Amino acid sequence: MGTIDILNSCYMNRELSWLSFNERCLDEAGNPDVPLAERLTFASIFQSNLDEFFMVRVGTLMIHENENDFIDNKTGMNCSQQVEKILERVKILEEKKSFIYEQLMGELEPKGIRIINFNKLSAIEAHLVEEYFDSNIAPFLSPMIVGKQQPFPFLDNKKLYGVVHLLSRMGKTKMGIVPCSSPVFSRLIEIPGRKGTFMLCEELILHFISKLYENYTVKEKSIIRITRNADLDSVDLDDEEDDYRNYMEHLIKKRRRLSAVRMELSRPINDSTKKQLAKLVGIENEHIINVGTPLDLSFVFLLQKWLKKENPDIHLFYKRRLPRNPQCFDMRKKLIPQIEEKDKLVAYPFHSMKAFLEMLHEAANDKNVVSIKMTLYRVAYKSKIIEALVEAAENGKEVVVVVELRARFDESNNIEMSRLLEDAGCQIVYGLGSFKVHSKLCLITKKTKNGFSYITQIGTGNYNEKTSELYTDLSLMTANQNIGSEVAKVFLALMKGETVTETEHLLVAPNCLQNKILKFIDDEIQKVKNGGSGYVGIKINSLTDKDIIDKLIEASQWGVKIQLIIRGICCLIPGIEGFTENISVVSIVGRYLEHSRIYRFGQGNDEKIYISSADFMTRNTIRRVEVAVPIYDEEARSKIKHIFDTCIIDDAKGRELKSSGKYEFRKINENPVNSQEYFFEEVYKCLM
């Protein structure tokens, strides 16, 4: 194998790497070490992840299938080739999901839950269920027959439909469509007299679907589910609204009717029916996938609810964990003065978000605070953060909020939130056009005897009380005036529709992050050239930026030690002799979503440490406004290194990416270390 061929083997396709990540989520559904009820969650996560993947990534690839210049810069595959590989891999994963699902259902039976089909009912039960269908379901169904008078209906994204191949008394074939989703009837139908035994409503509808077409013979039938493209960037409006918020609302409506990218079938159907369906939906046959499980797994949360109520076995669920107040704060005292004394680092979900919320409320009511500026990407429904900003505005503070309306699938929530803030008197800025504002910044400005001072918060995750209990994230609160001054420059640029071009302390994309990362890696290479040792440690969600990947390969060739903790997509293959043998990659998939981003360059006294909102993806490094903040406080630096080093040796939920491109569990510690549980134990012992 030549040098170029070996180098090419150092890269993995982004989409296939993502599917590998989602398979790791699916593996948790089949992991006997995970509590049974929690494994149901991972099965649902696998499905919802895959839905979004088709809606976003596959949808985008299909739009560009005929564009020759839309090529993966790491593997050289065009869009059609990538879609072909994706569909091949997804069909294999669906078989694996089917096996794990059946395993889960089998293990649930001794716990009192069964999901059955009509054939498992006694004659009396079948009669009762039929009566239930006739009285409680059939009146609310709207069966259709496709024909000249009734064209093929629009099938909503991710909704369930029954499809039937019908034969009339005259020998003519027809297609029938029955919507199976309704708020009127429950998804799970409990069998009378058999507590904990359920049928899925769509299966009941499909069984009795012939009663809806009494003048026809049902030749074959299946449940189908359509997934539609959700790539709003590809949508052009004929008449773009002058008001950006109205424009986004129009786009959201457009999304609902974008083209189909996948059709799932609960049962195989013959080729001619499948071909007809594909034509009517506007999809290629290859995008029709047979699924061996229910097409919508969201009902598993109803099963969990039933288990919590009816089954006393506490081992079915994770041990209860509640975030604690951070040890670095005395919550009995005012928080802003404590931040002015010393930097504070908070780690979610181990620490509560209460300290940050309290800081905002203090600022809203502090007579010396003149302004609060904040970036918002995703926030919780009925957010306490919004309440604090409204409170500040009503108290006469200048409140400037940069709201990113293009936070995918959160657009509607962000639109409503922006209206609420605007009504309270806040100044709203809607991003930067071609650059999404993804940074997590909060800047509080106070008047002082000497003029003014800043309190700054910079984080790795969204200002969202709900996800702060589900995602691992880091939040720095500091009175460092150099940092505050540069954050003020970021806000000033955003308000003028511009981006920062120079920084001394912060790393700020799109102009001052990727280039500085590359320089920091070069610095580590130079240390090795000078006879010393170099080190790079990165914890992120995804690595796709080829410029950074190539620089890491170069650093590895020079002997720089590189440790990467990458939860999801990793387009770099480690362990390739002569290229990446000095690189290790670990992925942690556990109870909480790993979301914090940490950058480390060098070791010892000259080590640079940052936390950031940015993954090493091209969209983050050069197409978004992202911010990384240096950690100067020694106690905060020590905490971050401890977090990173513990994650590296996680051999309970951490897997190592091998040169084969496969992720494997490893044995490092005498007693396996689950980093997330370890950090909670530390918080409970007041050690973190």
Side-chain angles (χ1 to χ4, degrees):
M1 185 181 291
T3 301
I4 293 177
D5 292 329
I6 297 174
L7 177 59
N8 289 339
S9 70
C10 296
Y11 303 109
M12 181 181 289
N13 175 260
R14 164 187 171 147
E15 319 306 345
L16 299 181
S17 179
W18 184 91
L19 288 172
S20 177
F21 156 68
N22 206 30
E23 183 176 14
R24 297 195 293 281
C25 294
L26 180 60
D27 287 339
E28 289 297 284
N31 185 347
D33 293 331
V34 176
L36 180 58
E38 307 291 355
R39 289 162 60 189
L40 293 170
T41 301
F42 281 104
S44 180
I45 287 172
F46 169 83
Q47 184 191 56
S48 59
N49 281 351
L50 196 59
D51 286 345
E52 185 170 333
F53 176 72
F54 269 91
M55 291 163 66
V56 178
R57 294 304 307 168
V58 177
T60 300
L61 289 170
M62 289 175 67
I63 288 169
H64 298 285
E65 272 190 300
N66 296 321
E67 299 177 24
N68 294 327
D69 57 347
F70 207 85
I71 303 293
D72 176 24
N73 64 356
K74 289 170 278 293
T75 61
M77 288 195 288
N78 62 31
C79 292
S80 295
Q81 290 169 327
Q82 292 181 74
V83 171
E84 182 182 353
K85 292 289 185 183
I86 288 167
L87 293 173
E88 289 175 5
R89 186 75 186 123
V90 165
K91 288 169 185 176
I92 293 171
L93 290 177
E94 283 293 349
E95 292 178 5
K96 183 173 184 177
K97 183 185 79 172
S98 180
F99 174 81
I100 289 174
Y101 175 81
E102 291 301 324
Q103 186 180 50
L104 280 170
M105 292 301 108
E107 291 183 48
L108 282 173
E109 286 196 24
K111 307 301 179 183
I113 284 183
R114 295 184 73 199
I115 305 291
I116 64 172
N117 58 34
F118 201 84
N119 297 328
K120 299 291 179 66
L121 299 178
S122 67
I124 294 175
E125 289 169 339
H127 176 70
L128 291 173
V129 167
E130 184 171 5
E131 284 187 337
Y132 180 87
F133 172 81
D134 292 339
S135 302
N136 297 284
I137 295 182
F140 303 103
L141 298 177
S142 302
M144 296 169 274
I145 294 179
V146 180
K148 292 180 180 179
Q149 285 74 35
Q150 179 120 26
F152 188 77
F154 180 82
L155 304 184
D156 286 329
N157 186 42
K158 300 192 295 183
K159 293 293 178 64
L160 300 177
Y161 296 86
V163 61
V164 284
H165 178 198
L166 302 169
L167 185 66
S168 73
R169 292 171 181 171
M170 303 297 293
K172 293 185 177 181
T173 59
K174 297 281 186 178
M175 180 178 290
I177 300 287
V178 181
C180 296
S181 303
S182 172
V184 178
F185 45 81
S186 173
R187 179 82 190 285
L188 284 179
I189 299 166
E190 193 164 19
I191 306 303
R194 290 172 67 176
K195 187 176 181 180
T197 300
F198 303 93
M199 282 187 69
L200 292 168
C201 70
E202 66 267 22
E203 289 298 321
L204 188 58
I205 293 168
L206 200 65
H207 182 82
F208 289 115
I209 206 163
S210 59
K211 300 183 77 169
L212 305 175
Y213 298 99
E214 293 181 345
N215 296 322
Y216 293 85
T217 301
V218 174
K219 302 297 290 182
E220 59 179 346
K221 57 189 177 181
S222 179
I223 301 296
I224 65 172
R225 182 172 178 262
I226 304 297
T227 313
R228 295 191 176 277
N229 180 18
D231 182 10
L232 288 181
D233 295 336
S234 68
V235 179
D236 294 320
L237 290 180
D238 296 331
D239 298 305
E240 183 176 324
E241 300 277 357
D242 293 332
D243 183 275
Y244 186 63
R245 191 162 56 197
N246 291 340
Y247 169 71
M248 286 304 301
E249 286 179 321
H250 197 157
L251 278 184
I252 294 165
K253 291 176 183 177
K254 283 268 188 179
R255 172 193 278 158
R256 296 179 189 138
R257 303 191 69 85
L258 293 181
S259 59
V261 294
R262 175 183 59 165
M263 180 192 297
E264 297 167 281
L265 301 176
S266 69
R267 292 163 176 74
I269 55 178
N270 70 54
D271 288 342
S272 62
T273 304
K274 187 185 294 187
K275 186 176 180 181
Q276 183 185 7
L277 256 181
K279 183 178 180 181
L280 290 168
V281 172
I283 202 169
E284 297 295 327
N285 275 12
E286 293 77 16
H287 290 255
I288 299 177
I289 299 173
N290 291 320
V291 177
T293 68
L295 302 188
D296 178 358
L297 291 180
S298 61
F299 71 90
V300 300
F301 299 110
L302 297 174
L303 299 183
Q304 288 178 334
K305 188 176 179 180
W306 189 94
L307 284 169
K308 281 184 178 178
K309 181 181 177 182
E310 303 291 343
N311 195 305
D313 187 353
I314 60 172
H315 300 294
L316 291 172
F317 294 89
Y318 284 126
K319 180 179 178 181
R320 193 177 186 209
R321 293 295 198 185
L322 294 175
R324 295 294 175 90
N325 289 329
Q327 185 71 9
C328 58
F329 280 113
D330 184 344
M331 299 300 292
R332 298 165 298 179
K333 300 178 181 178
K334 294 286 186 181
L335 302 190
I336 289 178
Q338 296 180 58
I339 298 168
E340 289 173 328
E341 289 176 9
K342 190 178 189 305
D343 288 359
K344 308 296 181 184
L345 183 75
V346 177
Y348 307 128
F350 320 106
H351 293 141
S352 167
M353 202 183 221
K354 184 179 177 182
F356 175 70
L357 293 170
E358 188 60 35
M359 181 194 75
L360 276 183
H361 282 294
E362 279 184 27
N365 292 282
D366 188 334
K367 61 180 176 26
N368 293 318
V369 169
V370 295
S371 75
I372 301 174
K373 296 182 175 72
M374 201 165 181
T375 59
L376 293 180
Y377 194 75
R378 300 186 196 274
V379 296
Y381 178 64
K382 294 185 178 179
S383 168
K384 290 182 173 63
I385 290 168
I386 300 301
E387 290 177 9
L389 294 174
V390 168
E391 180 184 20
E394 291 175 346
N395 287 342
K397 315 296 183 189
E398 179 196 29
V399 180
V400 177
V401 186
V402 181
V403 179
E404 182 50 76
L405 294 186
R406 294 165 298 173
R408 187 174 277 120
F409 306 121
D410 270 347
E411 298 97 342
S412 295
N413 186 45
N414 286 4
I415 286 169
E416 290 306 310
M417 173 191 68
S418 69
R419 286 199 177 101
L420 180 64
L421 291 168
E422 200 169 58
D423 289 344
C426 302
Q427 181 178 345
I428 307 298
V429 179
Y430 295 124
L432 280 184
S434 58
F435 296 109
K436 282 188 180 181
V437 180
H438 189 251
S439 51
K440 322 302 179 191
L441 303 175
C442 178
L443 182 69
I444 298 167
T445 305
K446 294 176 61 179
K447 61 181 178 183
T448 67
K449 294 184 219 175
N450 302 319
F452 63 90
S453 66
Y454 298 118
I455 300 292
T456 311
Q457 182 275 338
I458 302 180
T460 67
N462 297 305
Y463 296 112
N464 188 312
E465 301 95 290
K466 183 177 179 181
T467 58
S468 73
E469 296 183 356
L470 302 173
Y471 297 2
T472 72
D473 271 307
L474 295 168
S475 172
L476 176 73
M477 287 170 265
T478 179
N480 183 300
Q481 297 306 296
N482 291 323
I483 290 173
S485 178
E486 290 201 349
V487 170
K489 290 178 182 176
V490 173
F491 276 108
L492 181 62
L494 289 172
M495 293 173 71
K496 295 191 295 182
E498 300 172 355
T499 57
V500 170
T501 56
E502 291 183 10
T503 58
E504 182 180 350
H505 299 273
L506 303 177
L507 312 181
V508 183
N511 303 310
C512 318
L513 190 143
Q514 186 202 58
N515 55 345
K516 294 199 174 190
I517 296 295
L518 296 173
K519 182 184 182 305
F520 292 155
I521 301 173
D522 271 329
D523 290 343
E524 298 308 302
I525 294 173
Q526 192 60 47
K527 289 177 185 177
V528 176
K529 289 181 178 179
N530 293 340
S533 59
Y535 174 78
V536 174
I538 304 294
K539 182 180 185 297
I540 50 178
N541 300 329
S542 300
L543 172 63
T544 67
D545 186 316
K546 190 170 185 295
D547 289 339
I548 293 178
I549 290 172
D550 288 346
K551 185 58 68 176
L552 289 171
I553 293 173
E554 180 186 348
S556 172
Q557 290 176 304
W558 279 102
V560 176
K561 181 182 179 181
I562 300 167
Q563 293 180 314
L564 306 177
I565 304 170
I566 303 174
R567 182 196 77 218
I569 303 168
C570 180
C571 295
L572 170 63
I573 302 293
I576 306 295
E577 186 177 352
F579 291 90
T580 61
E581 70 265 40
N582 290 306
I583 301 175
S584 65
V585 179
V586 173
S587 169
I588 298 173
V589 177
R591 175 177 182 175
Y592 304 101
L593 184 79
E594 288 294 332
H595 196 251
S596 57
R597 288 90 162 190
I598 298 170
Y599 311 158
R600 299 175 65 183
F601 303 97
Q603 290 179 309
N605 295 331
D606 67 341
E607 180 177 7
K608 298 180 181 70
I609 299 177
Y610 293 81
I611 64 171
S612 177
S613 60
D615 291 312
F616 287 175
M617 306 177 76
T618 307
R619 73 178 190 190
N620 298 89
T621 56
I622 62 174
R623 292 202 296 269
R624 287 185 176 181
V625 177
E626 304 271 16
V627 173
V629 60
I631 307 299
Y632 294 138
D633 179 81
E634 283 304 320
E635 184 178 344
R637 288 167 63 86
S638 178
K639 285 182 181 178
I640 290 172
K641 287 191 281 188
H642 172 63
I643 290 169
F644 188 96
D645 293 341
T646 304
C647 289
I648 280 289
I649 62 166
D650 186 325
D651 54 356
K653 296 298 176 184
R655 303 189 206 187
E656 187 170 1
L657 178 59
K658 299 297 186 179
S659 59
S660 62
K662 304 293 184 182
Y663 286 83
E664 297 179 7
F665 283 111
R666 64 263 170 86
K667 176 68 175 174
I668 300 174
N669 310 287
E670 185 176 346
N671 297 312
V673 170
N674 181 324
S675 58
Q676 295 176 355
E677 291 296 325
Y678 185 86
F679 296 141
F680 254 118
E681 290 296 332
E682 286 195 325
V683 167
Y684 283 5
K685 294 174 183 176
C686 300
L687 298 175
M688 181 175 167

